[in-house]
Amino acid sequence: MASVARVAIDSPLPQLDRVFEYAIPAPLAESIAPGVRVKVPLRVGGRIISGWVLGVSDQAEYSGRLADIDSVVSEARVLTDELARLARAVADRQAGTLADVLRLAIPKRSARLEQRWLDDESGERARRLEASRAPVGGNASEPATSAGISNPRAEVAAMPWAEAIINPGGRFSLRPPVGVADREPRALGALADLAAATLANGHSAIVLVPDFRDLELAAAALERRIPAELVRRFDSRLKPMPRYEQYLRALEPIPQVVVGTRSAVWAPAEALGLIAIWDDGDESYREPLAPYPHTREVALMRAAMQSCSVVLAAHTPSLETRRLVASGWLTEMAAPGPAAARVIPAAATLGDDSAASAARIPEFAWQTASRALREGPVLVQVGRAGYRPTLRCASCREIARCRSCSGEIVQRSESAPISCRVCGAIQAGWHCGECGGESLRAGAVGHQRTAEELGRAFPGVPVIVADAQQRQITIGAAPALVVATRGAEPVAADGYRAVLLLDAEFALARESLDTVVEVLRMWSNAAALSADDAIVAITGAVSEPVAALQSWQQALIVDAELEQRRELEFPPAVRVATVRGTQREVDAALRRIRDLQLAEVSILGPVPDEDDPKLHRATLRFGYRAGSAVATALKTELVAQATARRGAGGRGAASTLRVHLDDHSVFA
């Protein structure tokens, strides 16, 4: 019986991010196994701290006396070997700690739920395992089918494109079909087909989606294809206990399909065969907590480590996806089905209709919407949220600002007073600081004002407002005007009879590095919700992004953007890292980077930090091949700074050195 346990301490301190050896007391010998939570003593201060057992052995590497494990928190082996290796690799890539990554990977523990799950090993858990192995239909003479799916090989044979993708180790950039069939976006239906085919082959699948809308749609698509009890939902909206329950269920040795937002990439799925990501360019896949791993990068690392297929699917592929395609790491493939939406640019010239003019809708788009409303719903995508989100002086057109704090002033609804966006002060008796004018005009019109104007223009037609606050996921096939902000568009039962994309020129005028690709992605996702014979009208002058949308060749624009990034040495053509801390700490970190003597590493700065004048910030740019060396050097410096003693009297203030690899905000 093993006498030594290798334990990872649950602490964010970089100096404790290593494996410790502990002796296994005889009373705990039966309970200690890789993946269980334990309590162990820490020599510093004599504290008892939580940890994870990574392995057990008969022989210790340390030659001295080992401290005993204090106690076993739970016998549930919730950290699998695969996840432990993945978490370690992600921590090393991001110059982070294993403990920080495991906090992202494993939900908060519920002791009562966990004990109930452990006690149920011979009950429901055993029944689920037996059901996954039993013949379908009760005919004992028939061969057993995987995961309760009838004739799994026939299911896969009917989708040869799917079988080509789910072969072990496949790596694909998938061009999904457009349109909607029976409330199901065909794009998500294609990913559900891949997951069902993977399950039919006896393997688990993970399907990742950006937000709750896509999660509900993807889960419904999966449950049309496979038994609902084999679908695990990793939903950030769930309370801690049901989230942990889904995690425990995913631990069971049964092929299942996990669908969820970014945390689902860590699901402990049995015999993983596929990881599919829908719309990996969505910002929700960026992890806001240290060490900031992007879901896509975790998925790619996991697929490589577990030799499973990986699919990145999107109507507008991300810059990172196109970089991998250009390098040959990903193979392009198109799923069967309608390949493009019917997009027609609508000239900015307005007709004589005053209602159309008020709603900022060109005559062609207005006529298209009017005809489409006789048959079904029409989607109107608006670029700005709110009512009148920007106000200007009617005389000189300067942005109207608050008299108290100089913040922009807005009108939040028709009946709301003019007020400051920043301090909330009511702007009674406002006058322009530039010309003295006292009249205001809308500098931009939000979705609420647009909905109000369209409601007046189409009396008797229901107007549905969809935004971040309205959790509208689907609507029926009856005529209705749906006014939505970007990314909040509900799915119509049979697709929209027309789609109007407003404020195109305003959207492209936004000052951001990612503007063109991000706006094109949002346009494409809305256009793809149209019915097969519907028109998608986009307003404003024809530009390269509009032309790419019209030809449904979004990848051309993304490739051109990526080429510009290569010339400028901007991500994702290169990786970046930011180093923040005192001037002394930043200088020490940069010395360590310079000692690497890597030609492909460049240093920008240091400069005073914008958020804290006491600190400094430096930016590193480096090639992907140098990533491991840069991350190791920065992690070494983090440890050095955290353990350094300052002054003769002992430790001084805690280190302020912080490292953020792949910091998206650097050039944004």
Side-chain angles (χ1 to χ4, degrees):
M1 187 172 293
S3 58
V4 178
R6 300 171 59 249
V7 177
I9 301 297
D10 186 8
S11 169
L13 298 177
Q15 63 268 37
L16 296 181
D17 186 30
R18 57 190 178 91
V19 176
F20 293 81
E21 289 184 317
Y22 287 91
I24 301 176
L28 302 180
E30 296 292 333
S31 304
I32 300 294
V36 304
R37 290 182 173 97
V38 293
K39 295 281 190 179
V40 294
L42 196 63
R43 291 182 179 178
V44 179
R47 292 182 296 144
I48 301 297
I49 194 169
S50 297
W52 299 91
V53 177
L54 300 181
V56 296
S57 65
D58 297 325
Q59 187 70 33
E61 295 181 5
Y62 178 63
S63 58
R65 180 179 177 275
L66 298 179
D68 287 349
I69 289 178
D70 180 78
S71 60
V72 176
V73 175
S74 168
E75 295 184 21
R77 300 178 64 175
V78 295
L79 176 60
T80 65
D81 292 341
E82 291 85 358
L83 284 187
R85 290 196 297 271
L86 176 63
R88 180 70 270 167
V90 170
D92 291 343
R93 184 183 191 275
Q94 299 297 121
T97 68
L98 178 66
D100 280 343
V101 176
L102 291 180
R103 289 192 190 97
L104 303 176
I106 302 176
K108 185 178 179 181
R109 177 175 177 256
S110 167
R112 183 175 59 182
L113 175 65
E114 188 177 82
Q115 190 58 52
R116 192 162 64 231
W117 181 77
L118 285 170
D119 293 342
D120 184 46
E121 188 170 3
S122 60
E124 286 297 308
R125 286 174 60 192
R127 184 196 64 77
R128 289 193 292 268
L129 180 60
E130 186 64 25
S132 72
R133 297 171 176 170
V136 172
N139 186 346
S141 64
E142 294 179 357
T145 60
S146 173
I149 299 177
S150 302
N151 302 317
R153 297 307 309 170
E155 295 278 352
V156 178
M159 298 183 293
W161 72 276
E163 188 166 20
I165 285 180
I166 65 175
N167 285 332
R171 304 190 297 256
F172 295 92
S173 169
L174 184 66
R175 190 174 183 83
V178 302
V180 177
D182 192 23
R183 297 180 185 269
E184 179 181 292
R186 290 195 179 99
L188 292 178
L191 297 188
D193 286 341
L194 291 176
T198 302
L199 197 64
N201 277 346
H203 294 278
S204 292
I206 295 175
V207 179
L208 295 158
V209 295
D211 60 25
F212 73 91
R213 294 179 177 86
D214 293 312
L215 175 55
E216 293 298 329
L217 293 166
L222 286 165
E223 290 170 4
R224 293 188 187 103
R225 291 161 173 79
I226 62 177
E229 64 181 18
L230 295 177
V231 178
R232 304 270 67 78
R233 293 195 187 200
F234 276 48
D235 188 347
S236 59
R237 296 173 299 164
L238 294 176
K239 293 183 178 180
M241 185 175 288
R243 288 183 69 181
Y244 194 49
E245 180 180 23
Q246 291 295 297
Y247 185 88
L248 293 175
R249 289 282 298 273
L251 278 168
E252 296 174 9
I254 303 169
Q256 305 172 66
V257 176
V258 176
V259 58
T261 48
R262 62 173 178 264
S263 65
V265 74
W266 302 101
E270 170 76 6
L272 186 60
L274 170 72
I275 303 176
I277 307 183
W278 168 242
D279 204 16
D280 67 288
D282 193 287
E283 64 178 10
S284 64
Y285 288 120
R286 298 188 185 114
E287 177 56 59
L289 301 176
Y292 318 105
H294 194 286
T295 305
R296 176 185 51 252
E297 303 306 322
V298 178
L300 296 177
M301 294 173 69
R302 185 171 187 181
M305 294 175 71
Q306 296 188 234
S307 299
C308 69
S309 296
V310 63
V311 173
L312 305 182
H315 297 301
T316 297
S318 66
L319 288 156
E320 291 80 3
T321 295
R322 295 306 295 176
R323 184 186 70 83
L324 293 171
V325 169
S327 70
W329 202 87
L330 287 178
T331 300
E332 290 184 273
M333 179 175 282
R342 184 185 176 193
V343 180
I344 300 177
T349 304
L350 296 169
D352 296 330
D353 193 316
S354 59
S357 179
R360 313 176 322 287
I361 299 178
E363 186 175 8
F364 169 75
W366 185 268
Q367 292 173 353
T368 297
S370 300
R371 288 192 298 268
L373 281 171
R374 301 168 192 163
E375 302 176 15
V378 170
L379 172 63
V380 181
Q381 186 195 72
V382 183
R384 292 289 295 265
Y387 189 75
R388 292 204 292 174
T390 301
L391 292 170
R392 293 179 179 271
C393 173
S395 301
C396 68
R397 301 297 193 266
E398 282 293 318
I399 293 177
R401 296 193 175 276
C402 173
R403 294 189 300 270
S404 301
C405 72
S406 298
E408 293 187 16
I409 63 176
V410 300
Q411 185 177 15
R412 302 185 187 279
S413 69
E414 183 180 21
S415 58
I418 306 298
S419 62
C420 176
R421 185 199 305 275
V422 178
C423 70
I426 305 300
Q427 304 295 303
W430 176 90
H431 63 273
C432 179
E434 296 293 326
C435 71
E438 298 180 352
S439 299
L440 290 165
R441 68 188 303 271
V445 178
H447 74 295
Q448 294 173 345
R449 175 74 176 267
T450 302
E452 181 182 287
E453 291 166 349
L454 289 174
R456 287 196 291 262
F458 293 95
V461 177
V463 177
I464 300 171
V465 176
D467 54 26
Q469 283 70 45
Q470 306 295 326
R471 293 179 176 265
Q472 188 88 28
I473 298 172
T474 61
I475 64 168
L481 276 165
V482 179
V483 181
T485 54
R486 295 192 184 106
E489 304 89 354
V491 174
D494 299 312
Y496 289 101
R497 302 308 306 170
V499 175
L500 309 185
L501 305 176
L502 302 186
D503 308 323
E505 292 174 328
F506 169 81
L508 293 171
R510 186 169 62 93
E511 294 183 2
S512 171
L513 183 65
D514 295 330
T515 291
V516 171
V517 175
E518 178 66 11
V519 169
L520 187 55
R521 185 179 70 83
M522 292 294 194
W523 288 345
S524 302
N525 289 349
L529 298 179
S530 59
D532 294 346
D533 57 346
I535 290 176
V536 178
I538 181 166
T539 66
V542 175
S543 59
E544 288 186 357
V546 171
L549 183 72
Q550 184 180 13
S551 63
W552 212 252
Q553 295 293 320
Q554 296 92 329
L556 296 179
I557 289 291
V558 180
D559 288 344
E561 179 73 17
L562 183 59
E563 185 57 36
Q564 291 180 4
R565 303 283 183 98
R566 291 194 182 99
E567 295 174 2
L568 297 170
E569 293 189 88
F570 281 1
V574 297
R575 292 186 67 189
V576 298
T578 53
V579 181
R580 287 181 171 87
T582 64
Q583 186 170 358
R584 183 188 59 78
E585 291 171 331
V586 172
D587 287 345
L590 296 183
R591 280 196 300 272
R592 203 175 287 272
I593 294 297
R594 292 188 181 99
D595 288 344
L596 296 175
Q597 297 184 345
L598 295 174
E600 56 185 310
V601 178
S602 63
I603 299 174
L604 307 177
V607 297
D609 188 73
E610 295 177 354
D611 298 326
D612 189 340
K614 297 179 182 178
L615 302 180
H616 282 68
R617 183 191 77 246
T619 300
L620 309 178
R621 293 195 289 200
F622 50 95
Y624 285 80
R625 288 179 298 180
S628 177
V630 170
T632 299
L634 293 176
K635 177 67 176 295
T636 302
E637 187 59 33
L638 284 169
V639 173
Q641 294 292 341
T643 56
R645 289 183 176 273
R646 297 175 176 84
R651 293 190 182 277
S655 171
T656 62
L657 184 64
R658 298 293 182 269
V659 170
H660 187 169
L661 270 77
D662 304 310
D663 187 348
H664 181 265
S665 66
V666 174
F667 299 107

